[in-house]
Amino acid sequence: MVLVGLNLRPALSTLAPVLTRIQQDTGLSALAIGALTTLPVLCLGIFAPLAPWLAKRFGPENTLAAALLLLAGGLSLRGVPAVLALFGGTLLVGAAIGVAGTLLPALVKRELPAGADLMTGVYTMALCLGGALGAGLSVPLADRLGSWSTGLASWALLAVAALVAWRLLMPRHDAATAAPDTGGSLRELLGQPLAWQVMLFMGSQSSLAYIVFGWLPTLLMARGYSEGEAGWMMGASVMVQLLSALSAPWLARLGRDQRPALLIVLAMVAGGFWLLLQAPAVWRWPGAVLLGLGQGGGFSLALTLIVLRTATSRLAGKLSGLVQGGGYTLAALGPLAIGVMLQFDVGLTALTRVLLGIVTVSMGFALFAGRNRRLEVDDAGRLRTR
């Protein structure tokens, strides 16, 4: 599970540091580049709801293996130096990550029910490590391998390694002994305010994460930093997410619910954006660290909410499909909006205000999603919030 998590962000974080090279070589407009950064996030939202259906039909283990194979294929396709291949490969990796990322919370809930929240922090830490490696190594790999397309494609090797390891070590369960699939249909979930609250929190905080993956180096270069330094600042920001991704679930256990932990990490995100984009240059590295701590903790807690707000692994899988499907679809609007604003030469001050506004909205949803509530199926087979 940790090795799988390591593969779920490099496909996204490797694009941003080389966007300038891609634009120069392909002649794409800023709006088209914005569409390229939005495409994988949109695919996460579109394909995540399919994961529970695929898992029920083929088994979650086999479905995850197929997603890893699709991920390797999409990454390899990005190695073809053509605009169509770049967009096609990006679509495939978004679909693969959408399915794989949705399956993991349910697998964690099933295999490690007592420590599901802490295990979520562990694989989220691996996920953040993959994102950091992708951001930090993107430019060096492009330089060493001779082109940005070959550098992007080289990450297929990591996906193949995860696929081999998963096929060898994945848990195997007899379908005949599986619990009956009762309660928790999509219609029932949509009728529960708690499901909406978790989904909207996931969407708002994820939009900030994908704005960072898609545009942070570009915004930093607009402040006057070099391409290499901007890439390493993004890499450092993602790298420190490891600490908060692992520690946030522990922090969430200290109180009666998760609201204080959620507000703390979102305040860190707001402070990090302001230091990076508005404060004097001397504060850029503290800003990168603060932003990373906040975003790592925020994403880890968002995934943890999926397992904490459900009574069974089946409900966790269904809620995961809804939360990540709807959440990532909303999150795709973030990088697209930034691309549109950059197309119209909107200044950094206005962009910073937009980012802080998204943080404020996310705090509002956190106050509801962080309450001590849980979705359960009662004796009559009806979904209830307790």
Side-chain angles (χ1 to χ4, degrees):
M1 290 180 183
V2 171
L3 188 55
V4 170
L6 194 64
N7 276 272
L8 299 186
R9 284 300 174 269
L12 307 176
S13 64
T14 50
L15 268 179
V18 294
L19 278 181
T20 301
R21 300 187 188 193
I22 293 174
Q23 190 169 16
Q24 291 173 349
D25 291 349
T26 61
L28 293 172
S29 66
L31 192 58
I33 291 291
L36 181 63
T37 61
T38 302
L39 180 61
V41 188
L42 188 59
C43 287
L44 295 183
I46 293 173
F47 289 95
L50 292 179
W53 179 83
L54 292 171
K56 182 180 178 181
R57 187 175 180 85
F58 302 107
E61 298 85 3
N62 293 329
T63 303
L64 186 55
L68 288 171
L69 182 62
L70 184 64
L71 177 61
L75 289 168
S76 300
L77 184 59
R78 288 211 277 192
V80 179
V83 172
L84 185 60
L86 176 62
F87 275 87
T90 300
L91 186 151
L92 292 180
V93 300
I97 294 171
V99 172
T102 302
L103 292 174
L104 278 176
L107 284 167
V108 168
K109 183 84 171 180
R110 188 190 71 186
E111 298 297 319
L112 299 163
D117 54 343
L118 300 184
M119 181 59 199
T120 300
V122 171
Y123 85 73
T124 305
M125 181 185 69
L127 189 145
C128 295
L129 176 59
L133 292 175
L137 296 178
S138 183
V139 172
L141 279 175
D143 293 338
R144 177 63 64 90
L145 299 176
S147 70
W148 55 264
S149 58
T150 307
L152 293 177
S154 65
W155 292 93
L157 297 175
L158 184 62
V160 171
L163 174 59
V164 172
W166 180 252
R167 291 298 299 175
L168 291 174
L169 303 172
M170 68 183 189
R172 289 171 171 82
H173 292 268
D174 184 1
T177 63
D181 184 16
T182 57
S185 66
L186 178 60
R187 176 176 292 183
E188 287 181 297
L189 281 174
L190 290 175
Q192 297 296 321
L194 178 60
W196 282 92
Q197 292 155 9
V198 177
M199 181 186 73
L200 292 171
F201 172 71
M202 169 66 85
S204 56
Q205 69 86 30
S206 292
S207 70
L208 297 167
Y210 292 113
I211 287 170
V212 168
F213 282 134
W215 291 111
L216 184 60
T218 301
L219 297 177
L220 293 175
M221 284 189 283
R223 288 213 70 185
Y225 304 121
S226 67
E227 179 189 50
E229 186 177 15
W232 279 112
M233 287 168 66
M234 175 178 165
S237 181
V238 180
M239 182 64 76
V240 298
Q241 291 184 15
L242 302 175
L243 302 175
S244 54
L246 185 60
S247 60
W250 290 91
L251 178 64
R253 282 190 168 194
L254 297 179
R256 296 180 58 186
D257 55 41
Q258 289 72 50
R259 285 177 291 182
L262 290 170
L263 294 179
I264 288 172
V265 297
L266 288 171
M268 289 181 176
V269 171
F273 275 128
W274 190 85
L275 290 176
L276 280 172
L277 301 179
Q278 296 298 316
V282 69
W283 291 100
R284 64 189 185 279
W285 288 105
V289 171
L290 194 61
L291 177 64
L293 291 174
Q295 292 201 306
F299 186 66
S300 180
L301 288 173
L303 293 178
T304 300
L305 288 179
I306 294 173
V307 299
L308 291 179
R309 297 295 174 263
T310 50
T312 66
S313 63
R314 286 191 178 276
L315 274 179
K318 293 176 180 179
L319 181 63
S320 181
L322 174 65
V323 167
Q324 298 197 56
Y328 288 141
T329 301
L330 292 174
L333 300 176
L336 179 62
I338 297 298
V340 170
M341 286 188 282
L342 288 174
Q343 180 77 19
F344 289 97
D345 295 322
V346 174
L348 278 179
T349 300
L351 287 170
T352 304
R353 289 173 181 167
V354 170
L355 293 172
L356 296 181
I358 297 174
V359 174
T360 303
V361 171
S362 190
M363 285 181 169
F365 293 133
L367 290 175
F368 290 98
R371 296 177 300 167
N372 187 16
R373 303 285 190 273
R374 190 170 72 166
L375 295 168
E376 297 179 351
V377 178
D378 63 18
D379 294 337
R382 294 171 297 187
L383 187 64
R384 292 288 183 264
T385 298
R386 299 188 188 278

